Amino acid sequence: MMARRPDPNEELADLVQGEQTDEVRSLEDAIAVQALGDTGERFDALQRRSLTAWVAAFGSVQGDPSDAGLLRRILGTIRAAIRRLLGPLAPRAQRALDARLTEAVNLGARQHAAYATAAGRRRMRPFPARPSLSLRNTTARIADAVTDRRDRALALLHPRIANRWTRVAAGIGTARSALTAVRSHITWTVGQAVNEGLLAGIRALGARKLWVSERDACVSCAAYAGLVVEVDDDFPGGLSWDPQQRGRTEPLAAPPLHPHCRCRTVAWKDSWAGDGVPSLPQALRREARRSIARGWSLPTESGAARIRAARELLRTGASLPKSVEEFARLSVLAGRFQERTVPTGP
């Protein structure tokens, strides 16, 4: 029996969606560790201390804070702790991002060279790239995210509002959400930086740009998978397999499309297509349709959105194997997919 010949599209997809995406995640994680430090553990400790103080003062979690002066002192202590925890967070996070921004852009440049070498079967060298002024300005906006969460939390922790423990916990939780906002901003900024490096390489190569979504991409990112435009043109805005999510974004030069998006652009030349096999853009579009039909997604994505997307796919023509289309059809009729899992391979 003859051995199966490697599919060049699978190899390229594995490189971009697997190895290179993992490299980007590792950089995001390293920046997040520097930015957040032990702030999460300190918020956990604040929650525990605050609960202990509440029970000691008012008898139980459900206790009625009849002593207004004692309530004000407890809330004042919590508000002061939140200011101490969040005060240094924004400048520390901005320093961590600024310190690694050039590294992120050049990671994109190196990844372009590795991908273009594999796609064109000719060795490519990385094109040195520098962060744009727009990217530098993006890092500075991390302070706005932290300030917003802090101010909302302090407003919730006013004695007229936080007169039950559940409301106090909600106020602390709102302050703690600044950590999630910082992590999200890091992912967004690193994604922009990597794509700046990729675009610099694409432009220097004289190629067009190809949108590569993640394998478990959301219904909007999946609609961009395999789309090819000229390097200086924008991708259209507002695409989505879910009709209810269309038209919500302006045209954009490159990903990310939304927070936590790890889509990217890569170079594409029609001369790279192999004889007798679909091109990489065609393969990516097919895999994106298959992911919609199978309901592949992360647990954070709405199941209803995935069902609407599958219904739209079937309506417009999925062009997939009958068994896959039948699975999608039965799932749409049932209103849910039998299992919602992240794909492990192309």
Side-chain angles (χ1 to χ4, degrees), residues 135-298:
L135 192 58
R136 291 287 185 191
N137 291 337
T138 298
T139 66
R141 290 199 290 272
I142 201 166
D144 296 335
V146 176
T147 300
D148 172 69
R149 269 55 172 199
R150 182 202 65 194
D151 291 348
R152 286 163 50 193
L154 296 179
L156 288 171
L157 291 166
H158 190 281
R160 288 197 302 270
I161 299 173
N163 53 8
R164 295 287 184 273
W165 167 251
T166 53
R167 297 178 181 178
V168 175
I172 297 173
T174 298
R176 199 185 198 285
S177 71
L179 279 65
T180 303
V182 165
R183 181 61 196 251
S184 177
H185 195 85
I186 289 170
T187 301
W188 174 265
T189 307
V190 169
Q192 286 188 320
V194 169
N195 275 288
E196 276 197 7
L198 290 165
L199 284 172
I202 296 169
R203 188 170 286 109
L205 185 61
R208 291 184 293 165
K209 56 188 179 185
L210 163 65
W211 187 297
V212 181
S213 64
E214 296 178 86
R215 288 198 175 108
D216 56 348
C218 69
V219 293
S220 295
C221 289
Y224 285 87
L227 205 59
V228 180
V229 300
E230 298 298 326
V231 67
D232 291 320
D233 289 347
D234 287 340
F235 291 98
L239 301 185
S240 180
W241 277 110
D242 177 7
Q244 292 189 16
Q245 296 187 43
R246 290 176 179 163
R248 297 185 184 181
T249 59
E250 298 296 324
L252 64 165
L257 183 62
H258 56 79
H260 303 293
C261 172
R262 292 189 179 90
C263 296
R264 74 244 321 282
T265 52
V266 299
W268 180 250
K269 291 186 173 184
D270 290 337
S271 61
W272 290 347
D275 294 334
V277 297
S279 68
L280 179 59
Q282 290 172 324
L284 291 172
R285 289 194 290 270
R286 180 181 176 83
E287 285 307 306
R289 295 196 306 272
R290 186 166 176 257
S291 76
I292 295 295
R294 297 293 298 179
W296 287 334
S297 67
L298 295 174

Side-chain angles (χ1 to χ4, degrees), residues 8-171:
N9 291 328
E10 288 185 14
E11 294 177 346
L12 289 174
D14 283 343
L15 174 64
V16 178
Q17 296 174 317
E19 176 184 333
Q20 293 189 344
T21 298
D22 289 344
E23 290 175 343
V24 175
R25 284 196 179 97
S26 294
L27 180 57
E28 293 169 6
D29 290 342
I31 296 172
V33 167
Q34 291 179 308
L36 300 177
D38 64 348
T39 311
E41 291 80 356
R42 294 174 68 187
F43 262 107
D44 292 340
L46 172 62
Q47 182 93 0
R48 292 192 297 270
R49 291 196 308 270
S50 301
L51 177 58
T52 299
W54 184 276
V55 172
F58 307 121
S60 70
V61 172
Q62 291 80 28
D64 182 13
S66 54
D67 188 329
L70 187 53
L71 175 63
R72 283 195 299 272
R73 287 196 294 274
I74 290 174
L75 295 180
T77 299
I78 296 172
R79 287 161 61 93
I82 287 173
R83 289 191 178 95
R84 288 195 302 272
L85 287 173
L86 295 186
L89 178 59
R92 187 172 67 240
Q94 185 173 343
R95 286 194 302 270
L97 258 176
D98 282 336
R100 309 292 289 271
L101 208 55
T102 299
E103 178 183 348
V105 173
N106 281 294
L107 173 60
R110 290 196 306 275
Q111 290 186 343
H112 160 78
Y115 161 83
T117 295
R121 302 296 191 266
R122 183 169 63 89
R123 182 172 176 77
M124 298 291 300
R125 295 184 179 276
F127 297 93
R130 296 172 61 86
S132 66
L133 178 60
S134 173
L135 192 58
R136 291 287 185 191
N137 291 337
T138 298
T139 66
R141 290 199 290 272
I142 201 166
D144 296 335
V146 176
T147 300
D148 172 69
R149 269 55 172 199
R150 182 202 65 194
D151 291 348
R152 286 163 50 193
L154 296 179
L156 288 171
L157 291 166
H158 190 281
R160 288 197 302 270
I161 299 173
N163 53 8
R164 295 287 184 273
W165 167 251
T166 53
R167 297 178 181 178
V168 175

